[in-house]
Amino acid sequence: MPAMFPIKESRFLSGDVKLFRVEAPRIARKRQAGQFVIVRIHEHGERIPLTIADSDVEQGTITIIVQGVGKTTRLLNQLEAGDSILDVVGPLGEPSEIKAFGTVVVIGGGVGTAIAYPTAVAMKQAGNHVITIVGARNQSLLILEEEVRATSDELYLMTDDGSYGEHGFVTQKLQALIDQGRTIDHVLAIGPIPMMRAVAEVTRPHQIPTIVSLNPIMVDGTGMCGGCRVYVGKECKFACVDGPEFDAHQVDFTNLIQRNKMYRDREQESLEAFEADPTDDLEEAHHCHMEQKFPEVGPRTV
Amino acid sequence: MVDKLPPKQRTKIPRQAMPEQDACQRAHNFEEVNLGLTEAIAQRESQRCLTCADPKCTHGCPVGVQIREVVDLVREGEYLSAAAKLREDNVLPAVTGRVCPQENQCEGACVLARRFNSLAIGHIERFVADYERQTGQVGLPERALLTGKKVAIVGSGPAGLSCAGDLSLKGHEVTVFEALHEIGGVLIYGIPEFRLPKEIVRQEVENMRAMGIDFQTNVVIGKTVTIDELFNEEGYDAVFIATGAGLPKFMNIPGEQLAGVYSANEFLTRVNLMKAYDPDQYDSPIYDCRGRNVAIVGGGNTAMDSVRSALRLGAKNAYIIYRRSEEEMPARGEEVHHAKDEGVQFMNLHNPLEFVGNEEGNLTGVKLVKMELGEADESGRRRPVPIEGSEFVMPIDMAVVAIGTGANPLVQSTTPDMATNKWGYIVADEETLRTNKRGVFAGGDIVSGAATVILAMGAGRVAARSMHEYLETGQW
């Protein structure tokens, strides 16, 4: 019988973004900033990658932050502390490159802030001057403000509609910093693909090394299927094992967008069916929880 | 029970055919193609065995199954004893009875093959294993007294399972680590349901659990835990690396990035492990093949599995594109024959030059060049040579690249003191399967490169013997 992964804590950070602390001691021990896990909620579910936002070795937990956009993430966001996730595997991917670059700009767009946050923490610990730019469509979608503030030397909050912080896009703030003549040694941008592509175009003329974290479709996450292949400087890379972080100036974003659309119709159908009647999925997800309460085999010995 | 016939009469019985699901029907479902022998047919087939004094069949078997004894027991109607005899050498008889290339192994070595048709050993093996499973009386061999030694097996494919079975019987405490969420490796993610029902694999795994083997899914050795940590932190005394050849190869031709181009690993994993063929029940998506033109590049068993899966997913035209001729095709004859019966179209002596797509980045066609066979190359097969000016574009909506796999580097890259060769495969002694790292053994595809289920199982057995010796003596 599968060993389950109990949810120890869960809370919404914004309307559709939820934070989970999940018991996964082996992953907690090994995880470094920039790495991810692959999660499957129940026996009929798909495998999806989620970046590890934080970990606690002593408690043996990892933190994941999930935006409910498709069926699987919305189902996940209906789980609570006390429920369990059927499969969690990781830590996968290469960790972020962390060193004393000097001045580092960390840019998080929407839920990408959750992915950028652990790297910002690591950059700060490595002695960098960390400038963080967080963007969201509006105030209600801004997440982790306090956490990010605590780890940043400078924090700029941007909303598309001006409902909070400054009115504008993250790229406008980045451009402004460059125009002010600020020395920027390294940029990390994580968010929607159009945002990452736009950041790459802002830094390209100034030859500022820029890293993005890519989110192609994955299955196994261990380099076995090649579904997550991305093209970086004409070279084929597997985001799950070679990435997920790559040189933004080399990435073929157009191809990434096209490949990510591959199952759009099916994803839409699946989401609609779930929204219309989530009973079966919820029951199955909670059934997993029941199995955990009454395990058929004893706990792991190691 | 049937009496032994005189040899002359035995050779007069024709080889009994395997009952199959009708080709027109099966091309549209994922149920098993081969239906299995009935007891009567199995009896009749077992009559054909010449019971050689020196059975060549056993020499031809990579795990050394005592085939003559098994067949004798079948003829005597002692099916459960036959199954127990099988299990002495083979932990996965229901699997190998289905997927082994018997024609090159036991059946290829069978004396009958010289003048008549070889004994249908694979079919008999499957009959025995299925009979045992259906009765629920699995004759698990007895386990030796516990030794107190802990062994970690990395990978739960055929090599890992076979090694785990043997070491557990020797009394060692065995843990099998699997990166995916289900046990079985290629048996689960690679081989389709219609050739190897997953329920059979699950049952075999349950049998192994009953033998006391511990299975841990969702552990990526090299990431979640390293080899050194297995020794130093988790207290294992020996490790067997059986991670297989899981890295998909692409052709590196233009257009391979288009949406609609899959590696065989991805396509088959979605279909088999994630059950994308049953979208009402399972969430993982796959390209909607219904009414579409689909091409699979390659001529091996994986290519056949892919093309037959595509057909079952509703493809209008399902093509095999292979650069040599059918004679050189590495796939089993039975698979090619099944594929043809089901309506797969073979475009042999064609080679893809480029995948063609539209503005949205979706695949729309493949540019092919016709080939002819030239001189024999180092593999002994005649080298395919492009025919100049024969290029043309064939419209297709989905493609699967099934041209082979390489070594996945995850374990090796985090075990820098373990030797690998220039292709990234682990270097292991041919006889002992020892690596250069103390206590670490390796076998199966991660050492040999991509091969067959049974060769991997053979390597697992060799490793088990060798590891047992190491655990007993402590000598490296």
Side-chain angles (χ1 to χ4, degrees):
Chain A
M1 281 303 105
M4 310 279 301
F5 297 83
I7 298 169
K8 308 308 276 186
E9 180 198 342
S10 71
R11 61 187 154 93
F12 276 100
L13 301 181
S14 76
D16 63 349
V17 176
K18 196 168 183 178
L19 175 148
F20 294 93
R21 222 155 42 76
V22 182
E23 192 175 311
R26 273 180 171 151
I27 303 173
R29 208 157 51 219
K30 287 310 266 297
R31 162 270 167 182
Q32 296 176 64
Q35 291 187 297
F36 64 95
V37 286
I38 290 228
V39 164
R40 192 176 68 131
I41 301 174
H42 60 53
E43 279 295 339
H44 296 92
E46 59 177 342
R47 295 167 63 98
I48 59 160
L50 294 167
T51 300
I52 308 169
D54 203 352
S55 61
D56 185 327
V57 180
E58 263 172 39
Q59 299 211 22
T61 58
I62 57 167
T63 302
I64 49 177
I65 294 175
V66 185
Q67 181 170 30
V69 285
K71 173 187 170 174
T72 303
T73 45
R74 289 201 190 175
L75 171 61
L76 186 53
N77 281 2
Q78 296 207 23
L79 300 188
E80 307 274 344
D83 288 327
S84 284
I85 301 174
L86 181 59
D87 299 298
V88 179
V89 59
L92 301 170
E94 288 292 314
S96 307
E97 188 192 1
I98 305 292
K99 60 179 190 190
F101 291 101
T103 298
V104 174
V105 176
V106 177
I107 303 173
V111 76
T113 309
I115 307 171
Y117 166 67
T119 306
V121 172
M123 287 291 188
K124 179 73 189 154
Q125 284 167 352
N128 290 288
H129 180 86
V130 176
I131 303 174
T132 308
I133 310 173
V134 172
R137 282 203 308 280
N138 57 52
Q139 181 179 8
S140 71
L141 298 172
L142 269 180
I143 55 168
L144 300 177
E145 182 184 339
E146 285 322 303
E147 288 86 345
V148 171
R149 190 181 299 281
T151 199
S152 308
D153 295 288
E154 298 170 46
L155 171 66
Y156 301 98
L157 300 172
M158 312 294 292
T159 49
D160 295 5
D161 64 354
S163 56
Y164 192 66
E166 292 178 51
H167 186 182
F169 299 125
V170 293
T171 40
Q172 289 168 316
K173 176 52 70 181
L174 177 64
Q175 187 67 58
L177 292 172
I178 294 170
D179 292 345
Q180 285 164 25
R182 298 283 302 264
T183 308
I184 299 171
D185 301 293
H186 187 86
V187 173
L188 174 79
I190 305 176
I193 299 172
M195 183 209 92
M196 294 192 286
R197 172 149 66 179
V199 168
E201 292 318 312
V202 170
T203 58
R204 192 192 302 275
H206 307 280
Q207 296 178 331
I208 303 170
T210 303
I211 300 293
V212 286
S213 179
L214 303 184
N215 59 338
I217 296 169
M218 290 186 187
V219 185
D220 61 292
T222 63
M224 193 191 86
C225 85
C228 67
R229 59 193 190 277
V230 290
Y231 292 80
V232 182
K234 303 281 172 216
E235 223 182 310
C236 169
K237 297 277 187 190
F238 291 180
C240 68
V241 287
D242 301 321
E245 295 183 1
F246 293 102
D247 177 354
H249 298 148
Q250 302 285 322
V251 169
D252 182 346
F253 286 106
T254 305
N255 180 247
L256 178 62
I257 292 169
Q258 289 170 338
R259 288 185 60 83
N260 276 2
K261 281 183 189 161
M262 193 163 161
Y263 304 110
R264 206 171 33 183
D265 293 350
R266 174 86 168 84
E267 286 161 354
Q268 192 56 35
E269 270 171 40
S270 196
L271 177 60
E272 280 165 16
F274 173 70
E275 299 279 275
D277 180 12
T279 337
D280 285 359
D281 283 288
L282 281 170
E283 231 168 61
E284 199 180 358
H286 289 127
H287 176 67
C288 295
H289 169 46
M290 298 299 286
E291 271 180 14
Q292 175 64 18
K293 267 188 175 164
F294 309 104
E296 288 176 38
V297 289
R300 282 182 182 173
T301 49
V302 284
Chain B
M1 204 217 280
V2 186
D3 290 329
K4 241 187 221 181
L5 297 170
K8 273 210 170 160
Q9 287 190 38
R10 294 184 219 169
T11 60
K12 282 196 182 125
I13 306 172
R15 179 177 157 122
Q16 303 296 296
M18 167 62 80
E20 291 174 2
Q21 199 194 145
D22 177 71
C24 299
Q25 190 186 354
R26 74 182 191 235
H28 304 290
N29 67 49
F30 274 84
E31 283 154 41
E32 201 172 7
V33 170
N34 286 346
L35 301 173
L37 304 185
T38 61
E39 189 178 341
I41 303 177
Q43 279 285 335
R44 194 164 166 77
E45 182 63 27
S46 68
Q47 285 278 324
R48 299 180 61 231
C49 180
L50 297 177
T51 57
C52 306
D54 176 25
K56 300 278 184 260
C57 47
T58 294
H59 301 307
C61 173
V63 297
V65 167
Q66 303 156 70
I67 294 164
R68 187 188 60 194
E69 286 78 358
V70 172
V71 176
D72 274 347
L73 288 164
V74 170
R75 193 175 45 245
E76 288 161 16
E78 300 291 339
Y79 307 127
L80 289 177
S81 308
K85 184 57 83 181
L86 253 175
R87 284 192 184 278
E88 287 179 19
D89 302 290
N90 180 351
V91 283
L92 304 170
V95 173
T96 52
R98 288 171 164 82
V99 304
C100 261
Q102 287 99 2
E103 61 278 12
N104 303 328
Q105 296 170 350
C106 52
E107 294 182 18
C110 175
V111 173
L112 279 172
R114 283 184 224 156
R115 288 181 52 206
F116 311 94
N117 283 318
S118 61
L119 185 68
I121 297 167
H123 296 168
I124 293 176
E125 178 185 33
R126 173 182 159 165
F127 166 77
V128 170
D130 287 356
Y131 181 93
E132 180 196 49
R133 192 178 60 257
Q134 279 149 18
T135 61
Q137 302 173 51
V138 179
L140 296 179
E142 208 168 312
R143 195 174 176 195
L145 287 178
L146 296 184
T147 62
K149 300 284 185 189
K150 278 177 72 177
V151 181
I153 311 256
V154 184
S156 70
L161 291 181
S162 152
C163 184
D166 281 7
L167 283 174
S168 174
L169 288 183
K170 296 278 189 198
H172 305 297
E173 194 185 315
V174 179
T175 304
V176 179
F177 294 99
E178 168 57 48
L180 291 171
H181 57 256
E182 200 164 341
I183 297 295
V186 74
L187 306 175
I188 286 289
Y189 76 74
I191 303 177
E193 185 75 16
F194 55 83
R195 217 149 65 77
L196 177 63
K198 301 306 150 224
E199 198 42 50
I200 285 167
V201 181
R202 265 177 224 122
Q203 187 58 55
E204 298 278 25
V205 171
E206 283 314 310
N207 293 341
M208 297 183 71
R209 243 189 260 277
M211 285 164 64
I213 296 168
D214 176 32
F215 289 98
Q216 295 194 14
T217 52
N218 296 319
V219 181
V220 185
I221 300 295
K223 285 285 185 187
T224 318
V225 184
T226 63
I227 299 286
D228 284 327
E229 286 165 345
L230 286 176
F231 286 109
N232 302 333
E233 289 174 24
E234 306 213 357
Y236 288 96
D237 300 294
V239 175
F240 178 50
I241 302 176
T243 46
L247 196 74
K249 281 187 188 158
F250 287 95
M251 291 180 289
N252 297 318
I253 60 173
E256 233 163 6
Q257 79 284 1
L258 291 164
V261 180
Y262 284 97
S263 74
N265 268 6
E266 182 185 3
F267 184 69
L268 290 173
T269 299
R270 285 181 180 276
V271 175
N272 301 324
L273 176 73
M274 305 311 297
K275 307 222 166 8
Y277 64 82
D278 186 2
D280 291 339
Q281 296 291 322
Y282 292 86
D283 290 339
S284 285
I286 195 157
Y287 185 83
D288 188 351
C289 294
R290 286 175 298 178
R292 304 291 181 149
N293 298 318
V294 171
I296 281 73
V297 182
N301 288 323
T302 307
M304 297 306 140
D305 285 345
S306 303
V307 77
R308 296 172 67 197
S309 296
L311 206 61
R312 284 160 171 77
L313 291 170
K316 181 170 70 180
N317 291 296
Y319 303 99
I320 284 282
I321 297 172
Y322 180 55
R323 61 191 183 131
R324 302 180 197 246
S325 74
E326 189 171 326
E327 212 169 293
E328 291 83 20
M329 224 173 231
R332 288 186 68 193
E334 182 182 76
E335 304 309 323
V336 175
H337 153 80
H338 276 155
K340 280 186 178 166
D341 284 355
E342 290 164 12
V344 170
Q345 298 165 60
F346 284 73
M347 298 184 64
N348 297 331
L349 291 167
H350 283 80
N351 200 30
L353 298 175
E354 182 182 345
F355 289 111
V356 188
N358 60 16
E359 279 174 9
E360 285 88 51
N362 295 323
L363 179 71
T364 57
V366 57
K367 186 175 181 185
L368 299 171
V369 63
K370 292 186 180 167
M371 310 290 278
E372 59 190 352
L373 292 178
E375 300 294 308
D377 62 14
E378 63 274 18
S379 74
R381 296 187 295 182
R382 290 176 65 195
R383 187 192 301 276
V385 189
I387 301 172
E388 234 176 278
S390 67
E391 297 87 355
F392 68 103
V393 174
M394 181 169 82
I396 53 168
D397 308 290
M398 187 193 91
V400 177
V401 179
I403 57 165
T405 50
N408 188 318
L410 278 187
V411 173
Q412 295 88 305
S413 63
T414 51
T415 319
D417 53 342
M418 182 175 65
T420 53
N421 67 19
K422 61 177 169 176
W423 299 283
Y425 291 104
I426 298 173
V427 179
D429 181 86
E430 268 182 41
E431 273 173 33
T432 62
L433 295 183
R434 288 178 178 206
T435 67
N436 66 322
K437 188 175 167 70
R438 189 183 173 92
V440 180
F441 301 73
D445 285 5
I446 193 57
V447 170
S448 64
T452 61
V453 167
I454 192 68
L455 285 172
M457 288 180 62
R461 294 209 87 189
V462 172
R465 265 198 299 277
S466 175
M467 290 170 84
H468 177 63
E469 188 189 302
Y470 167 66
L471 291 166
E472 292 281 288
T473 65
Q475 301 286 315
W476 188 256

